[in-house]
Amino acid sequence: MQAEINVRAVERDAQAYWHTHASFAVSEDSNKPKYYCLSMLPYPSGKLHMGHVRNYTIGDVISRYRRMNGYNVLQPMGWDAFGMPAENAAIERGRQPAEWTYANIDYMKQQMQALGFGFDWAREVTTCKPDYYRWEQWFFTELLKRGDAYRKNGEVNWCETDQTVLANEQVEDGCCWRCGNPVERREIAQWYLRITDYAQELLDGLDTIDWPDMVKTMQRNWIGRSEGVEFDWSLPAQDATVRVYTTRPDTIMGVTFMAVAAEHPVAQAVAEQNPAVAAFIAECKRTGTSEAVIEKLEKKGMALGVDVTHPVSGQPVPVWVGNYVLMSYGGGAVMGVPGHDQRDHDFARTYGIPIVQVVDAADGSVNVEDEAFITKGDTVLVNSGAFDGLDHDAALAATADYLVEHANGERKVNYRMRDWLVSRQRYWGTPIPVVYDAAGEAYPVPAEDLPVVLPEDVHFEGVTSPLQKDEAFLGATLPDGTPGRRETDTFDTFFQSSWYYARYCCPGANGMLDERANHWLSIDQYIGGIEHAVMHLLYFRYFHKLMRDMGLVDSDEPALRYLPQGMVVSETFYREDTAGKKTYFAPNEVALSRDSRGAIVGATLLEDGDAVTVGKIQKMSKSKNNGVDPQEMIDRYGADTVRLFTMFASPPDQSLEWKEAGVEGMHRFIKRLWRAVHNHVTEGGEQPVAALDVNLCSDDDRALRAKTHSTIKKVSDDIGRRYTFNTAIAAVMELVNEIGRFKGEGAQAHAVVREALQTAVALLSPITPHTAHALWPAIGGEGAAVDIAWPEADESALVADTVSMVVQVNGKVRGQIEVPTDTDNDTIEQTAKAEEGVQRHLEGKTVRKVIVVKGRLVNIVVG
């Protein structure tokens, strides 16, 4: 064994062994309990970033730990390979999206393998390959037959730059999440899935899975279940009715206006005769359709000059068109109650609309002049005619009953969530398997004609999808044998990532899935970013329920447990010009000055030696140029150092601050562990190691054994239950330090140290697998480290012969005593009083009371 670790050789040998022995390939072994550990698959952008490294290291540590504990572990990997970035790259670089994507996959796969991730690569999924998307095309055609998929004209978020529709979740602050440019509203024919049919089940299912409360709350809020009443208001001027949904029928007498969406028929009818209204409607359409976007807008409106009739009082109520009303929610019309809704209050104050209070606190203390009163607790109705004096619950019931009876009302449960819009006007995606006849009627492509293959050799002209001009692709045959024309829209990328986890379970299946899926599902541990809480994580739960209802899977939920990993953050460095524009520099472009504690106190640019500003610690990103290339870190320190630091720097659900000084510290620890094993092995020479006999151990030997087995117990809990990998690593470091301080001699001392070192290597094996692979046989371990069992704590080693107890006098620590564990209280008291440091504080004083807390402390009260 070499005295110093050769990182390259260690990594090469370990990875060669795993490859040769197919260490991570698994089958459906019923003799072992199954464990499905899955990290979200990456988009093949070209290089792994530190967020990827952290995510996949967490999953790999959990997988390796479970494997050592006797589980049959499935840990696969694949590529979420379709999407807009590949198109943008093709346009910018003049390359084919397919060529760009496959090259990126090859490089990123090499990086994953260099990091030692234990993936079963035989199950690899690449979502842009026909052997994968064939089955989601088949699935869509089945959904069409079931009525779960449909096409309709709908108001959508349109990105003019990318020439595509965006889901509400893909609109950030009114802008496209990809290109950052503003979106606008358009109405075009689109394909949808009826996710709203599963809204209540998606809500109820959250109570059955072990996911963070924050994620569950985000999904509940996105689904947005509410109970209320839907009822009619008559519109005499247009001889029509306007249907409204409200969760607060008790405020009906506080309505002083009605607001409708720009697309509402009432507004459209007025706009035909009123150019000012038409211009306002056009302005409204230059915003997105997302509620989050609408909430941030300045609330604007215009009176339409028509009234609806109040369903209770019979009085006219003016109708306005408002930019904050969405056609997609509640029918596109809302009753304005400015006294008891802050948004309505702000709108009313802006346009001089009356504000009427109809709900008061029980003590009559409410005034709605300055702000709306929204509390639903101990309240009564006022200014509400026959409903005056009713408390909150009684008022809801009575007003709802009235509207049901007199205004064509219906009690309804509503959901904020809309049906999932799955079609996009882009090229690099799964072709939607539909053919149109001359009249525009849509026909699903028969199963025997699938897949509809996306042509990969295409030519871009601007940002328009090449499919729209590809006659070879467009030409198709209808069911009756006549010519038709293919759909040129492709599926939203969330369509592909909503079922990939199930395909991993049954590679090569002659169908979307086969019986192997039920062996592995549900996922036992899912890992990925919190940013996917209301997009991917909601859609893949929905897909799972669809697959269940089609008989493809038996379970109700795709993942039983979910761990969202925190972001990776680091310092930013920049210079600011006179116009306030910042130019950011990468960490490897600057030289840092640090104080005695290691904190950064200054930075200079290596290129010119002049100062740069040290900015805030922020998420690693291209825009801030503060990312760290994982490959550079692997080349410099080795894969195990990178893995160890990412697990040690913070708990997995919290942000990880990247500090190279911390990386260097982890590298030093690995080298220290290596030297400890080397020193132990060389000290033993050629002599066989004595068998450990606890009866022959000295007190020092037993103390080290106690530390070894208490470490096993702690690390097992930290990794297996708590997922606090940082404290697990710290515990192993403490054990290695204890080994370094150990001064025992003789055969048993040598055996105790070997046990401790074997334990340290085994406990670190999931985190630093390459190093463990080399050290395990060197320290006398049998077999390969990847195949060993997790250490078990010897409870007898944890039973100490003696115990240390703190001695206090009047609550202040004055000494410490060591006594046998079975010592009685009287003897403990006398031993404490006799302790030299304690005696000095008892002289001349009367002992009034002695409190003994066995195994912990003695408190002597004197006066």
Side-chain angles (χ1 to χ4, degrees), residues 516-572:
R516 291 173 290 173
N518 286 323
H519 174 83
W520 293 108
L521 295 172
S522 298
I523 300 165
D524 296 283
Q525 181 63 69
Y526 199 32
I527 305 157
I530 190 71
E531 66 270 19
H532 299 295
V534 294
M535 296 170 70
H536 164 66
L537 289 175
L538 187 64
Y539 294 148
F540 106 126
R541 292 184 60 224
Y542 167 54
F543 243 64
H544 194 84
K545 297 178 189 307
L546 287 174
M547 292 191 295
R548 177 204 61 196
D549 291 349
M550 289 176 62
L552 296 172
V553 296
D554 293 340
S555 47
D556 293 328
E557 291 286 342
L560 301 178
R561 194 175 185 187
Y562 168 58
L563 173 65
Q565 92 279 6
M567 298 182 297
V568 181
V569 299
S570 68
E571 292 100 349
T572 54

Side-chain angles (χ1 to χ4, degrees), residues 64 178-179 245 262 332 394 545 714 726:
R64 288 174 179 270
R178 291 292 192 196
C179 69
Y245 173 80
K545 297 178 189 307
K714 175 171 176 52
N726 56 323

Side-chain angles (χ1 to χ4, degrees), residues 378-398:
D378 188 11
T379 59
V380 295
L381 287 192
V382 297
N383 302 321
S384 296
F387 305 114
D388 276 355
L390 295 178
D391 63 25
H392 176 71
D393 292 341
L396 282 176

